[in-house]
Coordinates of all heavy atoms in Angstrom, one line a residue:
G84 N -29.9 8.7 -2.3 CA -29.1 9.3 -1.1 C -27.6 9.6 -1.5 O -27.1 9.0 -2.4
G90 N -12.1 15.5 3.8 CA -11.0 15.4 4.8 C -9.8 14.7 4.3 O -9.6 14.6 3.0
F136 N -45.2 -33.5 -12.0 CA -45.1 -34.9 -11.7 C -46.4 -35.8 -11.8 O -46.5 -36.9 -11.3 CB -44.5 -35.2 -10.3 CG -43.1 -34.8 -10.2 CD1 -42.9 -33.4 -9.7 CD2 -42.0 -35.5 -10.6 CE1 -41.5 -33.0 -9.6 CE2 -40.6 -35.1 -10.4 CZ -40.5 -33.9 -10.0
S192 N -54.8 -11.4 -11.0 CA -55.2 -12.6 -10.2 C -56.3 -12.1 -9.2 O -57.2 -12.8 -8.9 CB -54.0 -13.2 -9.6 OG -53.1 -13.6 -10.5
D253 N 12.6 11.0 23.2 CA 13.8 11.3 23.8 C 13.8 11.1 25.3 O 12.6 11.3 25.9 CB 14.3 12.7 23.4 CG 14.5 12.8 22.0 OD1 15.0 11.8 21.2 OD2 14.4 13.9 21.4
L337 N 2.0 4.3 -0.2 CA 0.7 3.6 -0.1 C -0.6 4.5 -0.4 O -1.4 4.1 -1.1 CB 0.5 3.0 1.4 CG -0.9 2.3 1.7 CD1 -1.1 1.2 0.7 CD2 -0.8 1.9 3.1
Q346 N -8.5 5.9 -8.8 CA -8.8 6.7 -10.1 C -9.1 5.8 -11.2 O -10.1 5.9 -12.0 CB -7.6 7.4 -10.3 CG -7.7 8.2 -11.7 CD -6.4 9.0 -12.0 OE1 -5.8 9.7 -11.1 NE2 -5.9 8.8 -13.2
W380 N -51.3 -8.8 -28.9 CA -52.0 -10.0 -28.6 C -53.5 -9.9 -28.7 O -54.2 -10.7 -29.3 CB -51.7 -10.4 -27.1 CG -50.5 -11.3 -27.1 CD1 -49.2 -10.9 -27.0 CD2 -50.3 -12.6 -27.0 NE1 -48.3 -11.9 -26.9 CE2 -49.0 -13.1 -26.9 CE3 -51.3 -13.6 -27.1 CZ2 -48.6 -14.4 -27.0 CZ3 -51.0 -14.9 -27.0 CH2 -49.6 -15.4 -27.0
G384 N -56.2 -11.5 -31.9 CA -57.0 -12.6 -31.5 C -56.7 -13.3 -30.2 O -57.5 -14.3 -29.7

Side-chain angles (χ1 to χ4, degrees):
F136 292 96
S192 300
D253 295 328
L337 173 60
Q346 176 182 314
W380 271 85

